[in-house]
mmCIF file of all heavy atoms in Angstrom:
data_model
loop_
_atom_site.group_PDB
_atom_site.id
_atom_site.type_symbol
_atom_site.label_atom_id
_atom_site.label_comp_id
_atom_site.label_asym_id
_atom_site.label_seq_id
_atom_site.Cartn_x
_atom_site.Cartn_y
_atom_site.Cartn_z
ATOM 1 N N MET A 2 -153.152 -116.960 45.241
ATOM 2 C CA MET A 2 -152.806 -116.291 43.985
ATOM 3 C C MET A 2 -152.753 -114.786 44.240
ATOM 4 O O MET A 2 -153.542 -114.247 45.016
ATOM 5 C CB MET A 2 -153.835 -116.592 42.899
ATOM 6 C CG MET A 2 -154.016 -118.064 42.602
ATOM 7 S SD MET A 2 -155.289 -118.337 41.327
ATOM 8 C CE MET A 2 -154.391 -117.815 39.856
ATOM 9 N N PHE A 4 -152.727 -111.111 42.194
ATOM 10 C CA PHE A 4 -152.891 -110.357 40.958
ATOM 11 C C PHE A 4 -152.543 -108.894 41.222
ATOM 12 O O PHE A 4 -152.593 -108.420 42.364
ATOM 13 C CB PHE A 4 -154.341 -110.442 40.453
ATOM 14 C CG PHE A 4 -154.720 -111.788 39.918
ATOM 15 C CD1 PHE A 4 -155.213 -112.774 40.771
ATOM 16 C CD2 PHE A 4 -154.597 -112.083 38.574
ATOM 17 C CE1 PHE A 4 -155.566 -114.029 40.288
ATOM 18 C CE2 PHE A 4 -154.950 -113.327 38.074
ATOM 19 C CZ PHE A 4 -155.431 -114.303 38.926
ATOM 20 N N GLY A 25 -150.439 -113.592 39.137
ATOM 21 C CA GLY A 25 -151.532 -114.150 38.366
ATOM 22 C C GLY A 25 -151.633 -113.464 37.007
ATOM 23 O O GLY A 25 -151.340 -112.272 36.880
ATOM 24 N N LYS A 26 -152.045 -114.207 36.011
ATOM 25 C CA LYS A 26 -152.127 -113.668 34.655
ATOM 26 C C LYS A 26 -153.453 -112.926 34.469
ATOM 27 O O LYS A 26 -154.528 -113.485 34.675
ATOM 28 C CB LYS A 26 -151.996 -114.795 33.632
ATOM 29 C CG LYS A 26 -150.637 -115.493 33.683
ATOM 30 C CD LYS A 26 -150.575 -116.655 32.707
ATOM 31 C CE LYS A 26 -149.233 -117.375 32.797
ATOM 32 N NZ LYS A 26 -149.171 -118.551 31.883
ATOM 33 N N LEU A 41 -159.380 -112.119 33.192
ATOM 34 C CA LEU A 41 -158.519 -113.056 33.906
ATOM 35 C C LEU A 41 -158.067 -114.130 32.932
ATOM 36 O O LEU A 41 -158.880 -114.699 32.192
ATOM 37 C CB LEU A 41 -159.272 -113.690 35.073
ATOM 38 C CG LEU A 41 -159.881 -112.717 36.089
ATOM 39 C CD1 LEU A 41 -160.694 -113.492 37.128
ATOM 40 C CD2 LEU A 41 -158.798 -111.901 36.765
ATOM 41 N N LEU A 42 -156.773 -114.421 32.943
ATOM 42 C CA LEU A 42 -156.220 -115.352 31.963
ATOM 43 C C LEU A 42 -155.882 -116.715 32.562
ATOM 44 O O LEU A 42 -155.169 -117.511 31.944
ATOM 45 C CB LEU A 42 -154.972 -114.728 31.318
ATOM 46 C CG LEU A 42 -155.209 -113.380 30.629
ATOM 47 C CD1 LEU A 42 -153.899 -112.827 30.080
ATOM 48 C CD2 LEU A 42 -156.247 -113.510 29.525
ATOM 49 N N GLU A 43 -156.383 -116.969 33.784
ATOM 50 C CA GLU A 43 -156.217 -118.296 34.373
ATOM 51 C C GLU A 43 -157.338 -118.565 35.366
ATOM 52 O O GLU A 43 -158.050 -117.653 35.799
ATOM 53 C CB GLU A 43 -154.843 -118.448 35.036
ATOM 54 C CG GLU A 43 -154.499 -117.425 36.081
ATOM 55 C CD GLU A 43 -153.070 -117.630 36.570
ATOM 56 O OE1 GLU A 43 -152.761 -118.753 37.013
ATOM 57 O OE2 GLU A 43 -152.280 -116.678 36.498
ATOM 58 N N ASN A 44 -157.495 -119.818 35.737
ATOM 59 C CA ASN A 44 -158.590 -120.260 36.595
ATOM 60 C C ASN A 44 -158.364 -119.817 38.041
ATOM 61 O O ASN A 44 -157.282 -120.017 38.602
ATOM 62 C CB ASN A 44 -158.698 -121.792 36.526
ATOM 63 C CG ASN A 44 -159.839 -122.331 37.347
ATOM 64 O OD1 ASN A 44 -160.797 -121.621 37.635
ATOM 65 N ND2 ASN A 44 -159.749 -123.599 37.719
ATOM 66 N N VAL A 45 -159.401 -119.209 38.663
ATOM 67 C CA VAL A 45 -159.295 -118.768 40.056
ATOM 68 C C VAL A 45 -160.354 -119.433 40.931
ATOM 69 O O VAL A 45 -160.470 -119.091 42.120
ATOM 70 C CB VAL A 45 -159.438 -117.227 40.156
ATOM 71 C CG1 VAL A 45 -158.328 -116.519 39.400
ATOM 72 C CG2 VAL A 45 -160.814 -116.755 39.666
ATOM 73 N N ARG A 46 -161.124 -120.343 40.386
ATOM 74 C CA ARG A 46 -162.239 -120.937 41.121
ATOM 75 C C ARG A 46 -161.781 -121.547 42.450
ATOM 76 O O ARG A 46 -160.877 -122.390 42.491
ATOM 77 C CB ARG A 46 -162.925 -122.018 40.266
ATOM 78 C CG ARG A 46 -164.156 -122.653 40.925
ATOM 79 C CD ARG A 46 -164.800 -123.669 39.999
ATOM 80 N NE ARG A 46 -165.365 -123.021 38.821
ATOM 81 C CZ ARG A 46 -166.593 -122.523 38.757
ATOM 82 N NH1 ARG A 46 -167.387 -122.626 39.814
ATOM 83 N NH2 ARG A 46 -167.037 -121.964 37.647
ATOM 84 N N GLY A 47 -162.387 -121.077 43.548
ATOM 85 C CA GLY A 47 -162.100 -121.612 44.875
ATOM 86 C C GLY A 47 -160.771 -121.191 45.470
ATOM 87 O O GLY A 47 -160.419 -121.622 46.572
ATOM 88 N N ARG A 48 -160.022 -120.332 44.789
ATOM 89 C CA ARG A 48 -158.684 -119.959 45.251
ATOM 90 C C ARG A 48 -158.729 -118.779 46.214
ATOM 91 O O ARG A 48 -159.659 -117.961 46.203
ATOM 92 C CB ARG A 48 -157.788 -119.615 44.053
ATOM 93 C CG ARG A 48 -157.652 -120.736 43.034
ATOM 94 C CD ARG A 48 -156.875 -121.925 43.576
ATOM 95 N NE ARG A 48 -155.503 -121.587 43.867
ATOM 96 C CZ ARG A 48 -154.514 -121.608 42.958
ATOM 97 N NH1 ARG A 48 -154.782 -121.958 41.707
ATOM 98 N NH2 ARG A 48 -153.282 -121.308 43.300
ATOM 99 N N VAL A 50 -157.415 -115.386 46.776
ATOM 100 C CA VAL A 50 -156.849 -114.429 45.830
ATOM 101 C C VAL A 50 -156.584 -113.084 46.502
ATOM 102 O O VAL A 50 -157.412 -112.576 47.270
ATOM 103 C CB VAL A 50 -157.799 -114.217 44.629
ATOM 104 C CG1 VAL A 50 -157.216 -113.199 43.665
ATOM 105 C CG2 VAL A 50 -158.052 -115.538 43.914
ATOM 106 N N LEU A 74 -163.032 -111.344 39.484
ATOM 107 C CA LEU A 74 -162.668 -112.468 40.342
ATOM 108 C C LEU A 74 -163.901 -113.082 40.998
ATOM 109 O O LEU A 74 -164.040 -114.308 41.088
ATOM 110 C CB LEU A 74 -161.683 -112.004 41.426
ATOM 111 C CG LEU A 74 -160.280 -111.638 40.930
ATOM 112 C CD1 LEU A 74 -159.526 -110.873 42.005
ATOM 113 C CD2 LEU A 74 -159.502 -112.895 40.541
ATOM 114 N N ALA A 77 -165.792 -115.074 38.595
ATOM 115 C CA ALA A 77 -165.054 -116.284 38.220
ATOM 116 C C ALA A 77 -164.963 -117.271 39.389
ATOM 117 O O ALA A 77 -164.208 -118.236 39.331
ATOM 118 C CB ALA A 77 -163.656 -115.911 37.736
ATOM 119 N N SER A 78 -165.738 -116.986 40.470
ATOM 120 C CA SER A 78 -165.880 -117.898 41.617
ATOM 121 C C SER A 78 -164.615 -118.053 42.452
ATOM 122 O O SER A 78 -164.311 -119.154 42.941
ATOM 123 C CB SER A 78 -166.362 -119.289 41.148
ATOM 124 O OG SER A 78 -167.599 -119.177 40.480
ATOM 125 N N ALA A 79 -163.852 -116.946 42.618
ATOM 126 C CA ALA A 79 -162.705 -116.991 43.540
ATOM 127 C C ALA A 79 -163.212 -117.319 44.941
ATOM 128 O O ALA A 79 -164.297 -116.882 45.350
ATOM 129 C CB ALA A 79 -161.987 -115.645 43.536
#
Side-chain angles (χ1 to χ4, degrees):
M2 302 179 74
F4 289 88
K26 296 177 182 178
L41 304 175
L42 302 178
E43 56 185 305
N44 182 23
V45 298
R46 183 178 293 272
R48 302 292 295 275
V50 179
L74 290 166
S78 301

